[in-house]
Amino acid sequence: MAQNSVAILGGNRMADDWFRLAREGGLTVQRYGRAAEVDPATAVVVDTLPHGLEAKRQLLEELDGTVPGASVVLSSCLRWSATTIACWSRRPERVVGFATFHPLAQRDVIELARGLDTAEEAVRAAESLVRGMGKESALVKDAPGLVFPRILSLIVNEAARSLDEGIATAEEIDIALRLGTNYPQGPLRWADEIGLDEVLAVIEGLQEETGDDRYRPAPLLKKLVASGRLGEAVGRGFHEHGEPGDDAA
């Protein structure tokens, strides 16, 4: 097994980010659409699926039969905790959770979480991969969304409520938060950049895990996701962005 070999699973922008950074870091990296296609000699498999219960569960189950137990599985835990994801595998000791948001190139740190049964060797392998991509890692407590995605998602959720209640326009909310708190951009435009479906996944995961009503998703956020208005990637979200790929904001 090649010690620096990496398999990226997923057809989303986060998979694009991981693949690009791993290749720039000089790692041996391959991109796959299905778990069944992964090279059995791969040292670390990165699962970038942020949500979709059946697809996520199936991916973990397929990896059990594709790659050996010595391989580490680094899995996106925006929607579920690392412990929950690891339960879908017959080898929970090799599963490490990660959480971050697109674009990965703008993030200096990638958060990692160990499940209840995650082996120390798996955590070390995940940390080594993150370093190899030129990023810092932070090992945090296991929970849906971990830290940065969780807190930002809740800010977006409150901003969505304010918009829905007519307190201010989307542009006014973004300006208020950008200038009032020195955020790099307003929360609603930031959500459009990330993808509203990923923001919603974090909030729904927290509500399901904790049962706490403070994690109840804003109705407007749910409506936008249900209607396919996911943000910049599709040209419409809280803001209009023109056709995907256009330079229009």
Side-chain angles (χ1 to χ4, degrees):
M1 180 182 297
Q3 293 302 308
N4 66 340
S5 59
V6 184
I8 310 298
L9 275 168
N12 51 41
R13 294 181 301 167
M14 184 57 67
D16 296 340
D17 291 348
W18 277 90
F19 181 78
R20 185 181 305 110
L21 288 173
R23 187 169 55 183
E24 291 174 356
L27 303 175
T28 302
V29 58
Q30 295 291 330
R31 180 88 175 266
Y32 299 95
R34 297 176 55 246
E37 300 170 344
V38 177
D39 185 344
T42 301
V44 181
V45 179
V46 180
D47 152 37
T48 65
L49 294 181
H51 48 78
L53 177 60
E54 292 306 317
K56 190 86 162 177
R57 188 196 304 271
Q58 182 178 351
L59 185 150
L60 270 293
E61 292 174 350
E62 287 183 354
L63 286 175
D64 284 341
T66 304
V67 294
S71 301
V72 171
V73 177
L74 186 55
S75 185
S76 172
C77 59
L78 290 181
R79 178 64 174 77
W80 299 280
S81 68
T83 298
T84 297
I85 294 169
C87 288
W88 300 333
S89 171
R90 296 195 304 270
R91 298 160 181 157
E93 70 281 353
R94 69 175 180 170
V95 177
V96 180
F98 82 88
T100 187
F101 278 144
H102 170 83
L104 190 54
Q106 295 181 12
R107 315 293 172 228
D108 293 330
V109 63
I110 297 175
E111 297 169 15
L112 304 176
R114 56 162 58 93
L116 290 179
D117 296 316
T118 302
E120 187 65 26
E121 293 79 4
V123 174
R124 296 293 162 256
E127 291 174 333
S128 178
L129 171 59
V130 172
R131 286 196 303 271
M133 297 187 346
K135 302 294 181 181
E136 296 292 327
S137 64
L139 190 61
V140 302
K141 184 177 179 179
D142 184 26
L146 302 185
V147 179
F148 164 62
R150 170 181 179 154
I151 293 173
L152 179 54
S153 294
L154 294 175
I155 292 171
V156 170
N157 200 45
E158 183 58 34
R161 290 185 187 281
S162 298
L163 176 62
D164 203 18
E165 293 168 9
I167 293 174
T169 66
E171 193 63 39
E172 289 167 344
I173 290 170
D174 280 342
I175 290 173
L177 270 292
R178 181 168 54 84
L179 299 182
T181 64
N182 202 31
Y183 285 175
Q185 55 187 322
L188 299 178
R189 192 166 293 276
W190 206 347
D192 279 0
E193 179 183 67
I194 292 165
L196 271 59
D197 54 332
E198 299 202 8
V199 172
L200 180 61
V202 173
I203 299 167
E204 289 183 332
L206 287 165
Q207 184 184 43
E208 181 179 302
E209 178 115 336
T210 67
D212 194 326
D213 194 55
R214 64 181 166 146
Y215 300 124
R216 183 168 52 88
L220 176 59
L221 177 60
K222 295 177 67 174
K223 289 176 183 176
L224 289 172
V225 172
S227 67
R229 301 184 186 190
L230 306 182
E232 288 182 3
V234 299
R236 301 179 73 186
F238 288 110
H239 296 274
E240 296 289 334
H241 302 275
E243 292 298 320
D246 285 354
D247 292 330

